Amino acid sequence: MLLDVDGPLNPFAGSAETRVGFVEHRIRLSRWNKRKVLRLWLNPALGPALLGLAERTGAQLAWATTWGHRANTVIGPAICLPVLRVVELDDSGGRWKFPAVERFAAGRPLVWLDGDFDFYPAERDAFLGRRVGVPTELWRVDPRVGLNTDDVATVEAWLGGHSNVGTAK
């Protein structure tokens, strides 16, 4: 199960009314101007919910985010996730994350939580076409709302219907 940060775990496009359960965090990242503060909204209940889902279904969690390894040092601790594997994104010539995810998933069952699939419809469709016969779910999370309990329950039901999900490397 692949996790993106911005959108699913950080509903950056939301408002106080739509970010129910999310807590504001202010961080400085060294790659930016040291005076610039980045605001994130993270829900501390999501880490345990995702870990529980993974335990119940045999899925393995990994990051598929432009945050890269920083997701393990900034995001994970804030929502009680352990260090996770990271999909190594590269310059994919405008094909977004799909080439890196395709290499990472390598024919294994996949559920991927992200908010940006609709921005790359041709690449999304080509990616899905190459995964015919391999259980694959691209779960779009609204970046105004973020991942919620309904999303987690639906993803868990999908994973429960694919008994070989726990065989991932």
Side-chain angles (χ1 to χ4, degrees), residues 51-75:
L51 289 172
L53 182 154
E55 185 177 315
R56 289 186 301 275
T57 63
Q60 295 178 343
L61 301 174
W63 298 112
T65 176
T66 56
W67 281 78
H69 290 276
R70 285 191 178 182
N72 279 320
T73 59
V74 177
I75 307 303

Side-chain angles (χ1 to χ4, degrees), residues 10-91:
N10 170 34
F12 63 90
S15 65
E17 294 79 33
T18 62
R19 287 190 212 104
V20 177
F22 289 80
V23 177
E24 183 180 352
H25 294 261
R26 294 172 182 252
I27 62 168
R28 284 186 171 79
L29 295 178
S30 60
R31 68 179 172 198
W32 292 328
N33 181 326
K34 299 245 185 231
R35 293 180 294 183
K36 181 173 174 94
V37 174
L38 179 64
R39 294 171 61 190
L40 301 171
W41 290 268
L42 303 169
N43 184 335
L46 284 177
L50 291 166
L51 289 172
L53 182 154
E55 185 177 315
R56 289 186 301 275
T57 63
Q60 295 178 343
L61 301 174
W63 298 112
T65 176
T66 56
W67 281 78
H69 290 276
R70 285 191 178 182
N72 279 320
T73 59
V74 177
I75 307 303
I79 62 172
C80 300
L81 283 178
V83 172
L84 304 176
R85 290 179 65 192
V86 175
V87 175
E88 300 290 343
L89 303 179
D90 53 20
D91 181 13

Side-chain angles (χ1 to χ4, degrees), residues 118-134:
D118 295 340
F119 293 127
Y120 306 90
E123 288 301 323
R124 176 198 60 217
D125 295 346
F127 171 80
L128 290 171
R130 290 187 297 273
R131 291 188 57 85
V132 169
V134 181

Side-chain angles (χ1 to χ4, degrees), residues 111-115 117 137-141 147 151 154-155:
V111 62
W112 179 5
L113 287 67
D114 207 303
F117 301 119
E137 179 66 28
L138 303 183
W139 188 257
R140 185 188 176 282
V141 179
L147 192 65
D151 292 320
T154 302
V155 168

